[in-house]
Amino acid sequence: HGAVSAVTFAPTSSQLAASSFTSNHSSPTNQGRTLAASASADGTVRTWEITGDMLDAAPKYSSTQQEETSSGLLSLSSPDVQIVDSTPDDVTNRNESKPADTPNTTSHTNKHTKNSQPLTPLSTLIGHSRGINDVTFNRTSHYLATASDDKTLRLWDVTHQHSCKHSQPLVEFRSHTNFAFSVRFNPQSNLLVSGSFDETVKLWDVRSGECVSTIPAHSDPVTGVDFSRDGSCIVSGSHDGLIRIWDVATSECLKTIYADGNSPVGHVGFSPNGKYVLAGTLDSRLRLWHVGTKAGYDEKHGVQAPDFDSSPGLRGKCSKTYSGHLNTKHCLFASFAGMHGLISRHSILTGSEDGRVHVYGLQSRKVRQVLCGHVDAVLAVAAHDSKDLLCSGGMTKDRTVRFWVPGKNEMAF
């Protein structure tokens, strides 16, 4: 890998799809497999498979609140990758950004990296001509979508890549006029949404590759997009400091949110229940915004659900603010963690430009843990949606993907 720009896990509902990577479908060990993918500044995506046996055999470390932990469970760097220093600058594109000052985590990494288990990728997906900014699985995990500095999105079939180490994309999506920076599938997997440095949000038909809608969403680069739980709405974030909610059917803007100071937005994502938006900004803050739900029938309560703007008290309300990580230059991913896992401690996960991974208590807002092991800025993080498993990726001086599991106390990673 080059610098790791994005990481993602396959959704829980599709974990059986991971068994298609092996010929022994009936083996009990297949039930414990986890599929992941990482994207890189070298223009490639690599897919990885973590088995239950790997998790059981891996060295496990724990930490108390704010104590630095050892390196990750699995280090997924290629042994022939040469680590090259580069000069920092102020570009905020994930792939063209130069790393922040080298973090002071070398002693932790040197001490524990020998305990990490190297992995060989299942497949390497090749097709983009420039670095990749984002990667995401569809609901069944049969497909991956990527967004790249070459201004395109690409769709990849990952169901049979165990027999083909290098793969070409199925579909290319061309319409953006600047870097394609963020991409997500809708829950039905028939649409993609993308955000670009051309300041637009676009909707795409997955099968045909055609752009079905273009929204002139912002006045600066769009750095994050996501679909709501039911796929009826999109959230977008931008360097213009605004977070906007859009109706998929009409392209109408339902809500505009911004924080004090109007700091550039580097990441946005809906919460699992669809009622909140998590946003990262370049003032070293994560904020959890209550946005309500789109007008419509609430199946759980059998009543008409409130509109985004029907309750003035909930419009753009910042429910929580999380601080402790460093984020002033790059667009860092963030994720909800532990929402459905064995550990009943709901958390917020994010990277940091000092090379650490920060885990915040969702309700307490306090730094629950700081995970060390990378030797450069960590932009890419992800949390498995049902297992207690985290993933992180380092920038140019690091170039590794690391997986993290809870320590022996089963409450810390």
Side-chain angles (χ1 to χ4, degrees), residues 143-205:
Y143 302 100
L144 279 172
T146 50
S148 169
D149 283 355
D150 65 12
K151 307 176 188 179
T152 70
L153 310 177
R154 305 205 178 196
L155 182 72
W156 312 82
D157 182 349
V158 294
T159 56
H160 299 98
Q161 297 313 316
H162 66 286
S163 60
C164 180
K165 289 297 183 181
H166 298 279
S167 175
Q168 294 294 321
L170 293 175
V171 183
E172 295 183 16
F173 304 80
R174 296 182 177 272
S175 180
H176 282 301
T177 58
N178 206 329
F179 306 137
F181 201 73
S182 182
V183 63
R184 290 291 181 271
F185 283 97
N186 70 341
Q188 296 77 25
S189 295
N190 65 322
L191 293 175
L192 283 171
V193 63
S194 61
S196 168
F197 270 44
D198 65 13
E199 304 174 4
T200 68
V201 170
K202 290 180 181 286
L203 281 169
W204 310 80
D205 181 272

Coordinates of all heavy atoms in Angstrom, one line a residue, residues 143-205:
Y143 N -20.2 -6.0 -3.8 CA -19.6 -4.9 -4.6 C -18.9 -3.9 -3.7 O -19.4 -3.6 -2.5 CB -20.6 -4.2 -5.4 CG -21.3 -5.2 -6.4 CD1 -22.6 -5.7 -6.1 CD2 -20.7 -5.6 -7.6 CE1 -23.2 -6.6 -7.0 CE2 -21.3 -6.5 -8.5 CZ -22.6 -7.0 -8.1 OH -23.2 -7.8 -9.0
L144 N -17.9 -3.3 -4.2 CA -17.2 -2.1 -3.6 C -17.4 -0.9 -4.5 O -17.4 -1.1 -5.8 CB -15.8 -2.4 -3.4 CG -15.3 -3.2 -2.2 CD1 -13.8 -3.4 -2.3 CD2 -15.6 -2.4 -0.9
A145 N -17.5 0.3 -4.0 CA -17.4 1.5 -4.8 C -16.3 2.3 -4.2 O -16.0 2.4 -3.0 CB -18.7 2.3 -4.7
T146 N -15.6 3.0 -5.2 CA -14.5 3.9 -4.8 C -14.6 5.2 -5.4 O -15.2 5.4 -6.5 CB -13.1 3.2 -5.3 OG1 -13.3 2.9 -6.7 CG2 -12.8 2.0 -4.5
A147 N -14.0 6.2 -4.8 CA -14.0 7.6 -5.2 C -12.5 8.1 -5.3 O -11.7 7.8 -4.4 CB -14.8 8.5 -4.3
S148 N -12.1 8.7 -6.4 CA -10.7 8.9 -6.7 C -10.4 10.4 -7.1 O -11.3 11.1 -7.7 CB -10.2 7.9 -7.8 OG -8.9 8.3 -8.2
D149 N -9.1 10.7 -7.0 CA -8.6 12.0 -7.5 C -8.7 12.0 -9.1 O -8.5 13.1 -9.6 CB -7.2 12.2 -7.1 CG -7.1 12.7 -5.6 OD1 -8.1 12.9 -5.0 OD2 -6.0 12.8 -5.1
D150 N -8.9 10.9 -9.7 CA -9.0 10.9 -11.2 C -10.4 11.3 -11.6 O -10.8 11.2 -12.8 CB -8.6 9.5 -11.8 CG -9.6 8.4 -11.4 OD1 -10.7 8.7 -10.9 OD2 -9.2 7.2 -11.6
K151 N -11.2 11.8 -10.7 CA -12.6 12.4 -10.9 C -13.6 11.4 -11.2 O -14.8 11.7 -11.5 CB -12.5 13.4 -12.1 CG -11.5 14.5 -11.9 CD -11.4 15.4 -13.2 CE -10.3 16.4 -13.1 NZ -10.2 17.2 -14.3
T152 N -13.3 10.1 -11.0 CA -14.3 9.1 -11.3 C -14.7 8.3 -10.0 O -13.9 8.3 -9.0 CB -13.8 8.0 -12.3 OG1 -12.7 7.2 -11.7 CG2 -13.3 8.7 -13.5
L153 N -15.8 7.6 -10.1 CA -16.2 6.5 -9.2 C -16.1 5.2 -9.9 O -16.2 5.2 -11.1 CB -17.6 6.7 -8.6 CG -18.1 8.0 -8.1 CD1 -19.5 8.0 -7.7 CD2 -17.2 8.5 -6.9
R154 N -15.8 4.2 -9.2 CA -15.7 2.9 -9.9 C -16.4 1.8 -9.0 O -16.4 1.9 -7.8 CB -14.3 2.5 -10.2 CG -13.6 3.6 -11.0 CD -12.5 3.1 -11.8 NE -11.9 4.2 -12.6 CZ -11.1 4.2 -13.6 NH1 -10.8 3.0 -14.1 NH2 -10.7 5.3 -14.2
L155 N -17.0 0.9 -9.7 CA -17.7 -0.3 -9.1 C -17.0 -1.5 -9.3 O -16.6 -1.8 -10.4 CB -19.2 -0.4 -9.6 CG -20.0 -1.5 -9.0 CD1 -20.5 -1.1 -7.6 CD2 -21.3 -1.7 -9.9
W156 N -16.8 -2.3 -8.2 CA -15.9 -3.5 -8.3 C -16.7 -4.7 -7.8 O -17.4 -4.6 -6.8 CB -14.7 -3.4 -7.4 CG -14.0 -2.1 -7.6 CD1 -14.2 -0.9 -7.1 CD2 -12.8 -1.9 -8.4 NE1 -13.3 0.0 -7.4 CE2 -12.4 -0.5 -8.3 CE3 -12.0 -2.7 -9.2 CZ2 -11.3 0.0 -8.9 CZ3 -10.9 -2.2 -9.9 CH2 -10.6 -0.8 -9.7
D157 N -16.6 -5.9 -8.5 CA -17.2 -7.1 -8.0 C -16.1 -7.8 -7.2 O -15.0 -8.1 -7.7 CB -17.5 -8.0 -9.2 CG -18.2 -9.3 -8.8 OD1 -18.1 -9.7 -7.6 OD2 -18.7 -10.0 -9.7
V158 N -16.4 -8.1 -5.9 CA -15.4 -8.7 -5.0 C -15.8 -10.1 -4.6 O -15.2 -10.6 -3.6 CB -15.1 -7.8 -3.8 CG1 -14.5 -6.5 -4.2 CG2 -16.4 -7.6 -3.0
T159 N -16.7 -10.7 -5.3 CA -17.2 -12.0 -4.8 C -16.3 -13.1 -5.2 O -16.4 -14.2 -4.6 CB -18.6 -12.3 -5.4 OG1 -18.6 -12.2 -6.9 CG2 -19.7 -11.3 -4.9
H160 N -15.5 -13.0 -6.2 CA -14.7 -14.1 -6.7 C -13.2 -13.7 -6.8 O -12.4 -14.2 -7.6 CB -15.1 -14.6 -8.1 CG -16.5 -15.1 -8.1 ND1 -17.6 -14.4 -8.4 CD2 -17.0 -16.3 -7.6 CE1 -18.7 -15.1 -8.3 NE2 -18.4 -16.2 -7.8
Q161 N -12.8 -12.7 -6.0 CA -11.4 -12.2 -6.2 C -10.4 -13.1 -5.6 O -9.2 -12.9 -5.8 CB -11.3 -10.8 -5.5 CG -12.2 -9.8 -6.2 CD -12.1 -9.8 -7.7 OE1 -11.0 -9.9 -8.2 NE2 -13.2 -9.7 -8.4
H162 N -10.8 -14.1 -4.8 CA -9.8 -15.1 -4.3 C -9.1 -15.8 -5.5 O -8.0 -16.3 -5.3 CB -10.4 -16.1 -3.4 CG -11.4 -17.0 -4.1 ND1 -12.6 -16.6 -4.5 CD2 -11.3 -18.3 -4.4 CE1 -13.3 -17.6 -5.0 NE2 -12.5 -18.7 -5.0
S163 N -9.7 -15.9 -6.6 CA -9.1 -16.6 -7.8 C -8.5 -15.6 -8.8 O -7.9 -16.0 -9.8 CB -10.2 -17.4 -8.5 OG -11.2 -16.5 -9.0
C164 N -8.6 -14.3 -8.5 CA -8.0 -13.3 -9.3 C -7.4 -12.2 -8.5 O -8.2 -11.4 -8.0 CB -9.0 -12.8 -10.3 SG -8.4 -11.5 -11.5
K165 N -6.1 -12.2 -8.3 CA -5.5 -11.3 -7.4 C -5.6 -9.8 -7.8 O -5.5 -8.9 -7.0 CB -4.0 -11.7 -7.2 CG -3.9 -12.9 -6.4 CD -4.4 -12.8 -5.0 CE -4.2 -14.0 -4.1 NZ -4.8 -13.9 -2.8
H166 N -5.7 -9.6 -9.1 CA -5.9 -8.2 -9.6 C -7.1 -8.1 -10.5 O -7.4 -9.0 -11.3 CB -4.7 -7.9 -10.5 CG -3.4 -7.9 -9.8 ND1 -2.9 -6.9 -9.0 CD2 -2.4 -8.9 -9.7 CE1 -1.8 -7.2 -8.4 NE2 -1.4 -8.4 -8.8
S167 N -7.9 -7.1 -10.2 CA -9.2 -7.0 -10.8 C -9.5 -5.6 -11.4 O -8.9 -4.6 -11.0 CB -10.3 -7.2 -9.7 OG -11.6 -7.1 -10.3
Q168 N -10.3 -5.6 -12.5 CA -10.7 -4.4 -13.2 C -12.1 -4.0 -12.8 O -12.9 -4.9 -12.4 CB -10.6 -4.6 -14.7 CG -9.2 -4.8 -15.2 CD -8.3 -3.6 -15.0 OE1 -8.7 -2.5 -15.2 NE2 -7.0 -3.8 -14.7
P169 N -12.5 -2.8 -12.8 CA -13.8 -2.3 -12.4 C -14.9 -2.8 -13.3 O -14.7 -3.0 -14.5 CB -13.7 -0.8 -12.3 CG -12.6 -0.5 -13.3 CD -11.6 -1.6 -13.1
L170 N -16.1 -3.0 -12.8 CA -17.2 -3.3 -13.6 C -17.8 -2.1 -14.3 O -18.2 -2.2 -15.5 CB -18.3 -3.9 -12.7 CG -18.1 -5.3 -12.1 CD1 -19.2 -5.6 -11.2 CD2 -17.9 -6.3 -13.1
V171 N -17.9 -1.0 -13.6 CA -18.5 0.2 -14.1 C -17.7 1.4 -13.7 O -17.1 1.5 -12.6 CB -20.0 0.4 -13.5 CG1 -20.6 1.7 -14.1 CG2 -20.8 -0.8 -13.7
E172 N -17.6 2.4 -14.6 CA -17.0 3.7 -14.3 C -18.0 4.8 -14.3 O -18.9 4.8 -15.2 CB -15.9 4.0 -15.3 CG -14.7 3.1 -15.3 CD -13.6 3.5 -16.3 OE1 -13.7 4.6 -16.7 OE2 -12.8 2.7 -16.6
F173 N -18.0 5.7 -13.3 CA -19.0 6.7 -13.2 C -18.2 8.1 -13.5 O -17.4 8.5 -12.7 CB -19.6 6.7 -11.8 CG -20.2 5.4 -11.4 CD1 -19.4 4.4 -11.0 CD2 -21.6 5.3 -11.4 CE1 -20.0 3.2 -10.6 CE2 -22.2 4.1 -11.1 CZ -21.4 3.0 -10.6
R174 N -18.6 8.7 -14.6 CA -17.9 9.9 -15.0 C -18.8 11.1 -15.1 O -19.8 11.0 -15.9 CB -17.1 9.7 -16.3 CG -16.0 8.6 -16.3 CD -15.3 8.5 -17.6 NE -14.2 7.5 -17.5 CZ -13.0 7.9 -17.2 NH1 -12.7 9.1 -16.9 NH2 -12.0 7.0 -17.1
S175 N -18.6 12.1 -14.4 CA -19.4 13.4 -14.5 C -18.7 14.5 -13.7 O -18.9 15.6 -14.0 CB -20.8 13.2 -14.1 OG -21.6 14.4 -14.3
H176 N -18.1 14.1 -12.6 CA -17.4 15.1 -11.8 C -16.3 15.8 -12.5 O -15.6 15.2 -13.4 CB -16.8 14.5 -10.5 CG -17.9 14.2 -9.4 ND1 -18.7 15.2 -8.9 CD2 -18.2 13.0 -8.8 CE1 -19.5 14.6 -8.0 NE2 -19.2 13.3 -7.9
T177 N -16.1 17.1 -12.2 CA -15.1 17.8 -12.9 C -13.9 18.1 -12.0 O -13.0 18.9 -12.4 CB -15.6 19.2 -13.4 OG1 -16.2 19.9 -12.3 CG2 -16.8 18.9 -14.4
N178 N -13.9 17.5 -10.8 CA -12.7 17.7 -9.9 C -12.7 16.4 -9.1 O -13.5 15.5 -9.3 CB -12.9 18.9 -9.0 CG -11.5 19.4 -8.6 OD1 -10.6 18.7 -8.4 ND2 -11.4 20.8 -8.4
F179 N -11.8 16.3 -8.1 CA -11.6 15.1 -7.3 C -12.9 14.6 -6.8 O -13.7 15.3 -6.2 CB -10.7 15.4 -6.1 CG -9.3 16.0 -6.4 CD1 -8.8 17.0 -5.6 CD2 -8.6 15.5 -7.5 CE1 -7.6 17.5 -5.9 CE2 -7.3 16.0 -7.8 CZ -6.8 17.1 -7.0
A180 N -13.1 13.3 -7.0 CA -14.3 12.6 -6.3 C -13.8 12.2 -4.9 O -12.8 11.4 -4.8 CB -14.7 11.4 -7.1
F181 N -14.4 12.7 -3.9 CA -13.8 12.6 -2.5 C -14.6 11.6 -1.6 O -14.0 11.0 -0.7 CB -13.8 14.0 -1.9 CG -12.8 14.1 -0.8 CD1 -11.4 14.1 -1.1 CD2 -13.2 14.2 0.5 CE1 -10.5 14.2 -0.1 CE2 -12.3 14.3 1.5 CZ -10.9 14.3 1.3
S182 N -15.9 11.4 -1.8 CA -16.6 10.6 -0.9 C -17.7 9.9 -1.6 O -18.3 10.4 -2.6 CB -17.3 11.5 0.2 OG -18.0 10.7 1.1
V183 N -18.0 8.6 -1.2 CA -19.0 7.8 -1.9 C -19.7 6.9 -0.9 O -19.1 6.4 0.0 CB -18.4 7.0 -3.1 CG1 -17.3 6.0 -2.6 CG2 -19.4 6.3 -3.9
R184 N -21.0 6.7 -1.1 CA -21.8 5.7 -0.3 C -22.9 5.1 -1.1 O -23.5 5.7 -2.0 CB -22.4 6.4 0.9 CG -21.4 6.8 2.0 CD -20.8 5.6 2.7 NE -19.9 6.1 3.8 CZ -18.6 6.3 3.6 NH1 -18.1 6.2 2.4 NH2 -17.8 6.6 4.6
F185 N -23.2 3.8 -0.9 CA -24.4 3.1 -1.4 C -25.6 3.5 -0.6 O -25.5 3.7 0.6 CB -24.2 1.6 -1.3 CG -23.3 1.0 -2.4 CD1 -22.0 0.7 -2.1 CD2 -23.8 0.7 -3.6 CE1 -21.2 0.1 -3.0 CE2 -23.0 0.1 -4.6 CZ -21.6 -0.2 -4.3
N186 N -26.8 3.5 -1.2 CA -28.0 3.6 -0.5 C -28.3 2.2 0.1 O -27.7 1.2 -0.3 CB -29.1 4.2 -1.3 CG -29.6 3.3 -2.4 OD1 -28.9 2.3 -2.8 ND2 -30.8 3.5 -2.9
P187 N -29.2 2.1 1.1 CA -29.5 0.8 1.7 C -30.0 -0.2 0.6 O -29.8 -1.4 0.8 CB -30.6 1.1 2.7 CG -30.4 2.5 3.0 CD -29.9 3.2 1.8
Q188 N -30.7 0.2 -0.4 CA -31.1 -0.7 -1.4 C -30.1 -1.1 -2.4 O -30.3 -2.0 -3.3 CB -32.3 -0.1 -2.2 CG -33.5 0.2 -1.3 CD -33.4 1.4 -0.4 OE1 -32.6 2.3 -0.7 NE2 -34.1 1.4 0.7
S189 N -28.9 -0.4 -2.4 CA -27.8 -0.7 -3.2 C -28.0 -0.4 -4.7 O -27.2 -0.9 -5.6 CB -27.3 -2.2 -3.1 OG -26.8 -2.4 -1.7
N190 N -29.0 0.3 -5.1 CA -29.3 0.6 -6.5 C -28.8 2.0 -6.8 O -28.8 2.4 -8.0 CB -30.8 0.5 -6.8 CG -31.6 1.5 -6.1 OD1 -31.4 1.7 -4.9 ND2 -32.6 2.0 -6.7
L191 N -28.4 2.8 -5.8 CA -27.9 4.2 -6.0 C -26.6 4.4 -5.3 O -26.4 3.8 -4.2 CB -28.9 5.2 -5.5 CG -30.3 5.4 -6.2 CD1 -31.1 6.4 -5.5 CD2 -30.1 5.8 -7.7
L192 N -25.8 5.2 -5.9 CA -24.6 5.8 -5.2 C -24.7 7.3 -5.0 O -25.3 7.9 -5.9 CB -23.3 5.5 -6.0 CG -22.7 4.1 -6.0 CD1 -21.6 4.0 -7.0 CD2 -22.2 3.7 -4.6
V193 N -24.2 7.8 -3.9 CA -24.1 9.2 -3.8 C -22.6 9.6 -3.7 O -21.8 8.8 -3.1 CB -24.9 9.8 -2.6 CG1 -24.3 9.2 -1.3 CG2 -24.8 11.3 -2.5
S194 N -22.2 10.7 -4.3 CA -20.8 11.1 -4.2 C -20.7 12.6 -3.9 O -21.6 13.3 -4.3 CB -20.1 10.7 -5.5 OG -20.7 11.4 -6.6
G195 N -19.6 12.9 -3.3 CA -19.3 14.3 -3.1 C -17.9 14.6 -3.7 O -17.0 13.8 -3.7
S196 N -17.8 15.8 -4.2 CA -16.6 16.1 -5.0 C -16.0 17.5 -4.7 O -16.7 18.4 -4.2 CB -16.9 16.0 -6.5 OG -15.9 16.6 -7.3
F197 N -14.8 17.7 -5.1 CA -14.2 19.0 -5.0 C -14.8 20.0 -6.0 O -14.4 21.2 -6.0 CB -12.6 18.9 -5.2 CG -11.9 18.7 -3.9 CD1 -12.3 17.8 -2.9 CD2 -10.7 19.4 -3.6 CE1 -11.6 17.6 -1.8 CE2 -10.0 19.2 -2.4 CZ -10.5 18.3 -1.5
D198 N -15.6 19.5 -6.9 CA -16.3 20.4 -7.8 C -17.5 21.0 -7.2 O -18.3 21.7 -7.8 CB -16.7 19.7 -9.1 CG -17.7 18.6 -8.9 OD1 -18.3 18.4 -7.8 OD2 -17.9 17.8 -9.9
E199 N -17.7 20.8 -5.8 CA -18.7 21.4 -5.0 C -20.1 20.8 -5.2 O -21.1 21.4 -4.7 CB -18.7 22.9 -5.2 CG -17.4 23.6 -4.9 CD -17.3 25.1 -5.3 OE1 -18.4 25.6 -5.6 OE2 -16.2 25.6 -5.2
T200 N -20.2 19.7 -5.9 CA -21.5 19.1 -6.1 C -21.7 17.8 -5.4 O -20.7 17.1 -5.0 CB -21.8 18.8 -7.6 OG1 -20.9 17.8 -8.1 CG2 -21.6 20.1 -8.5
V201 N -22.9 17.4 -5.2 CA -23.3 16.1 -4.8 C -24.0 15.4 -5.9 O -24.9 16.0 -6.5 CB -24.2 16.1 -3.5 CG1 -24.8 14.8 -3.2 CG2 -23.4 16.7 -2.3
K202 N -23.7 14.2 -6.3 CA -24.3 13.5 -7.4 C -24.9 12.2 -7.0 O -24.3 11.5 -6.1 CB -23.3 13.3 -8.5 CG -22.8 14.6 -9.3 CD -21.9 14.3 -10.4 CE -21.4 15.6 -11.1 NZ -22.4 16.1 -11.9
L203 N -26.0 11.9 -7.6 CA -26.6 10.5 -7.4 C -26.4 9.8 -8.7 O -26.6 10.3 -9.8 CB -28.1 10.7 -7.1 CG -28.5 11.0 -5.7 CD1 -30.0 11.4 -5.6 CD2 -28.2 9.9 -4.8
W204 N -26.1 8.5 -8.6 CA -25.8 7.6 -9.7 C -26.6 6.3 -9.7 O -26.8 5.8 -8.6 CB -24.3 7.3 -9.7 CG -23.4 8.4 -9.5 CD1 -23.0 9.0 -8.3 CD2 -22.6 9.0 -10.5 NE1 -22.1 10.0 -8.5 CE2 -21.8 10.0 -9.9 CE3 -22.5 8.9 -11.9 CZ2 -21.0 10.8 -10.6 CZ3 -21.6 9.7 -12.6 CH2 -20.9 10.7 -11.9
D205 N -27.0 5.9 -10.9 CA -27.6 4.6 -11.1 C -26.5 3.5 -11.1 O -25.6 3.6 -11.9 CB -28.4 4.5 -12.4 CG -29.1 3.2 -12.5 OD1 -28.4 2.3 -13.1 OD2 -30.2 3.0 -12.1

